[in-house]
Amino acid sequence: EPLTSNFEERQDSSTDDDNTLSPMVFMKKWIKTKHAMLFRLSNGTVQVLFYDMTEVLISSEGNLITYVDKEKNRFVHSIAEIANKQHGDVSRRLKYAKEILSQLISASKR
């Protein structure tokens, strides 16, 4: 459900009056783990959908984190803000995402 609803929201908000087309974003790689599904998108964004219905989006530059909680509330934080404040849920999920990404990177170097 999160993927579908996010896609529909983005489709609705992506129509421009000047008819300019932006490149279509697509999934380049995905992995299913014990706690989540991780998607690496063509624009560099990483999306992690946790099975407890929470979600983390890491911007392509890695400086913005979007967190969606179980009640579907959306919060956008900078990496510095998460590092400096107590954001337990977000921090734990980011740590998990980092571990999975590290595994993907090390596996691709073999």
Side-chain angles (χ1 to χ4, degrees):
E1 178 186 322
L3 276 179
T4 306
S5 62
N6 286 343
F7 178 75
E8 289 168 357
E9 288 172 18
R10 290 180 186 130
Q11 287 295 98
D12 291 342
S13 66
S14 67
T15 55
D16 294 330
D17 292 336
D18 60 356
N19 291 329
T20 59
L21 295 175
S22 56
M24 182 171 283
V25 177
F26 58 92
M27 181 177 28
K28 289 187 82 169
K29 188 169 239 157
W30 67 277
I31 185 168
K32 185 176 181 178
T33 69
K34 182 178 178 181
H35 300 289
M37 291 182 68
L38 184 140
F39 303 94
R40 190 168 70 86
L41 306 178
S42 60
N43 66 356
T45 299
V46 174
Q47 180 179 26
V48 186
L49 299 174
F50 291 89
Y51 299 137
D52 68 355
M53 301 307 292
T54 59
E55 178 179 354
V56 171
L57 287 140
I58 305 167
S59 69
S60 58
E61 299 84 23
N63 56 356
L64 285 180
I65 305 299
T66 302
Y67 173 65
V68 182
D69 67 15
K70 293 176 186 177
E71 289 78 36
K72 301 198 185 300
N73 298 309
R74 185 176 296 259
F75 305 94
V76 179
H77 303 286
S78 69
I79 280 288
E81 186 181 359
I82 291 171
N84 293 332
K85 295 182 181 176
Q86 294 297 322
H87 292 285
D89 285 348
V90 181
S91 297
R92 280 193 301 278
R93 284 166 176 75
L94 273 178
K95 183 179 177 185
Y96 185 78
K98 179 184 171 190
E99 291 169 5
I100 299 304
L101 286 168
S102 296
Q103 290 173 15
L104 281 175
I105 291 167
S106 64
S108 69
K109 290 182 179 179
R110 293 181 194 157

